[in-house]
Amino acid sequence: LNNLGHAHYKSRDLDGALDMYEQSLQCQMRRLCARKDDTESEEFDFLSHLQHVVKKVDRLSNEKEEMDQITFALGNVASTLRNIGLVKQDQSNLEEALEVYGYILTVRKAMPTVDQAAVALTAETIGMLHFKQGNHNGALSAFGEALNVKEMTQGTQTLDYARTLNNLANVHFSSGNLDQAMELYQRALAIKKNQLGEDHDEVANTQNNVAHLLFTLGRDEECLEAYNEVLRMRKNKFGPDHLAVGATLSNIGDLHVKMENPHEAVVAFKDSVRIRKMQQQKNPADIADIARALESLASASGKMGDWKQARNAYKESLRLKKLAYVEDHEEIIKTLDLLAMSLIEQGLFKDATEPVKEALELRRKRFGQNHDEVVSQLNALAFLYKKAGDDDSAARVFAEISAGADAELDDSPRSTM
């Protein structure tokens, strides 16, 4: 049954895989329990069967051969549960996946000979699932349990221990506990440097987390130093044209924008766009990333007063987003708005009407005629026509706004009194 489940899973028939794995689990637990009152026709209750196994373990604790057999059988049960958990995750059913991994943890702890490494790994997975759901307390509890088990079995200087420190730090960072996050990142970083060397990519990843945190804390000079160190490590590891290098350059560009260094920001964003375009030939799915990098370049160029470069970057970003997204996607509307704003800042009101009109039509399609965003866009369009000296077009738009407001009044409930 497990092998049939693997075959269904490999062909991406998740429902078929789940059915086979669940049948396998029932067979394993019924065989393990060997209860006289257990029949194939009765509804299967996993926890009831597991409680029966725990009592059996207590009763036979002095029978080594029997205990070895139970340990082996429970290991198989845990493996089958893990298969079920993986399917649940692939189905984006995180709540049920969490329940399954909770069963795995219970099984691991119930074994006559407890595999502490497997307990820690299961607790870590539970922490990851809680974190994905935004349940920070659940994540902290699970990662804390994993860390305690690893400290007890490995000590506090192993790479595995450092990875759990990093996971805990991520949760604290996301929760706003920035000082605790920094302490944990620094501990993880020190262990990884000691175990892997100064320039390992995993060291760079944790250094990158430290840089993100420094950015959030407003410690910009330290942040720049940290990002430059990440950039150096990634160039040494992957070469100058790797996507990881491009991502780091984007982070450096964002920091320079924050520090009001538009020239340095443009240099970083240009190099990031160059790398992303080069890599996009190998992976077309990166089109949206290139578009976002171009937007950052456009924004920084505008701050420098290089409006031609800003306009070209926004237009190229818009072209790529139209390839990457459905017609009325919010990302396309966002870029049209940014392009319009850059033209308005230059006083090019007539030119700005074109992206505003296009964004208006997409908002109508997305939200309907009388949505607040549509009305706001109509007002913006009327304002631009007025600024461009096109009073007739402005009047037509104002009339459309007024007609929409009258239609809303006509549709509103009337008193029967």
Side-chain angles (χ1 to χ4, degrees):
L1 286 170
N2 257 325
N3 288 336
L4 281 171
H6 296 335
H8 282 292
Y9 187 77
K10 190 173 181 180
S11 65
R12 304 311 294 164
D13 177 10
L14 298 182
D15 289 337
L18 188 60
D19 182 48
M20 292 297 103
Y21 290 142
E22 288 178 341
Q23 287 189 52
S24 174
L25 179 66
Q26 290 188 33
C27 290
Q28 289 170 343
M29 290 301 291
R30 291 183 192 278
R31 191 182 307 119
L32 186 56
C33 289
R35 286 163 42 182
K36 294 179 181 178
D37 60 342
D38 193 16
T39 65
E40 292 290 331
S41 60
E42 72 176 19
E43 186 176 348
F44 177 72
D45 182 346
F46 175 80
L47 286 179
S48 172
H49 281 73
L50 183 59
Q51 287 167 3
H52 184 82
V53 173
V54 171
K55 291 177 182 177
K56 188 174 181 179
V57 168
D58 291 339
R59 190 174 67 252
L60 300 172
S61 58
N62 294 323
E63 303 290 334
K64 184 179 184 308
E65 186 177 344
E66 188 83 15
M67 289 297 95
D68 288 344
Q69 291 175 2
I70 291 174
T71 297
F72 180 77
L74 283 175
N76 288 335
V77 167
S79 295
T80 302
L81 281 166
R82 180 177 175 275
N83 293 334
I84 293 171
L86 289 172
V87 173
K88 298 287 188 183
Q89 287 184 76
D90 285 359
Q91 293 175 327
S92 299
N93 194 340
L94 298 186
E95 198 64 45
E96 289 188 15
L98 261 173
E99 183 180 18
V100 171
Y101 279 102
Y103 290 159
I104 297 173
L105 193 59
T106 302
V107 169
R108 293 292 186 193
K109 291 177 178 179
M111 287 183 179
T113 303
V114 177
D115 182 348
Q116 295 292 353
V119 169
L121 179 61
T122 305
E124 196 108 32
T125 304
I126 291 171
M128 292 289 192
L129 290 171
H130 278 304
F131 190 44
K132 282 183 180 178
Q133 288 188 307
N135 180 1
H136 293 153
N137 288 335
L140 288 173
S141 176
F143 284 136
E145 180 176 359
L147 195 69
N148 289 336
V149 173
K150 289 179 182 182
E151 183 174 349
M152 180 178 65
T153 56
Q154 306 172 8
T156 60
Q157 296 302 311
T158 65
L159 190 56
D160 197 26
Y161 186 83
R163 287 168 179 156
T164 305
L165 285 173
N166 192 84
N167 289 335
L168 268 172
N170 288 339
V171 181
H172 281 296
F173 190 178
S174 186
S175 303
N177 304 323
L178 304 187
D179 291 338
Q180 288 171 283
M182 181 62 79
E183 180 192 350
L184 292 166
Y185 280 140
Q186 295 288 11
R187 287 173 61 192
L189 186 61
I191 296 168
K192 288 183 177 183
K193 283 182 177 180
N194 185 53
Q195 294 290 333
L196 299 169
E198 294 282 334
D199 291 342
H200 194 277
D201 57 307
E202 194 167 332
V203 174
N205 291 340
T206 301
Q207 180 77 23
N208 198 54
N209 290 338
V210 171
H212 290 336
L213 182 50
L214 289 168
F215 186 100
T216 303
L217 288 166
R219 291 157 60 177
D220 294 343
E221 294 296 338
E222 294 174 74
C223 179
L224 183 58
E225 184 179 342
Y227 276 138
N228 280 328
E229 181 65 6
V230 174
L231 185 64
R232 181 193 65 77
M233 286 189 276
R234 287 180 169 170
K235 282 183 174 179
N236 286 344
K237 175 71 177 179
F238 303 117
D241 298 327
H242 193 273
L243 274 175
V245 173
T248 307
L249 285 164
S250 286
N251 291 334
I252 290 172
D254 288 336
L255 179 60
H256 279 303
V257 169
K258 183 185 176 191
M259 297 171 72
E260 299 183 356
N261 300 327
H263 177 76
E264 289 84 350
V266 165
V267 171
F269 287 136
K270 273 187 174 179
D271 207 15
S272 176
V273 169
R274 177 192 64 78
I275 292 168
R276 291 173 191 275
K277 283 185 174 181
M278 180 187 301
Q279 295 299 328
Q280 187 265 328
Q281 295 173 4
K282 304 173 187 175
N283 184 8
D286 292 331
I287 288 176
D289 286 336
I290 300 171
R292 285 189 286 271
L294 281 162
E295 274 185 9
S296 297
L297 172 60
S299 175
S301 298
K303 289 181 178 5
M304 280 181 60
D306 188 346
W307 294 111
K308 181 179 179 181
Q309 181 166 267
R311 187 173 187 172
N312 289 339
Y314 278 132
K315 284 186 173 182
E316 178 66 3
S317 174
L318 183 63
R319 184 187 72 80
L320 292 175
K321 285 190 177 183
K322 286 179 178 179
L323 293 174
Y325 299 112
V326 295
E327 182 186 9
D328 60 343
H329 195 279
E330 59 186 6
E331 281 290 328
I332 295 174
I333 296 172
K334 172 191 164 191
T335 304
L336 285 166
D337 289 346
L338 290 170
L339 174 59
M341 285 302 302
S342 73
L343 294 169
I344 291 168
E345 287 181 28
Q346 299 171 71
L348 301 174
F349 302 111
K350 184 177 180 181
D351 290 347
T353 60
E354 293 307 314
V356 169
K357 285 193 290 185
E358 187 174 350
L360 173 62
E361 291 311 310
L362 294 183
R363 283 188 165 97
R364 279 177 169 150
K365 183 176 180 180
R366 186 177 175 86
F367 302 117
Q369 176 62 34
N370 296 319
H371 192 274
D372 287 347
E373 286 201 25
V374 173
V375 175
S376 177
Q377 194 84 5
L378 283 166
N379 276 298
L381 182 59
F383 165 81
L384 288 174
Y385 279 135
K386 287 286 287 182
K387 294 292 286 185
D390 188 349
D391 292 340
D392 290 342
S393 294
R396 282 197 299 273
V397 176
F398 280 130
E400 183 179 346
I401 296 169
S402 178
D406 290 343
E408 268 192 60
L409 286 174
D410 289 343
D411 290 340
S412 63
R414 287 176 169 76
S415 171
T416 57
M417 292 180 63

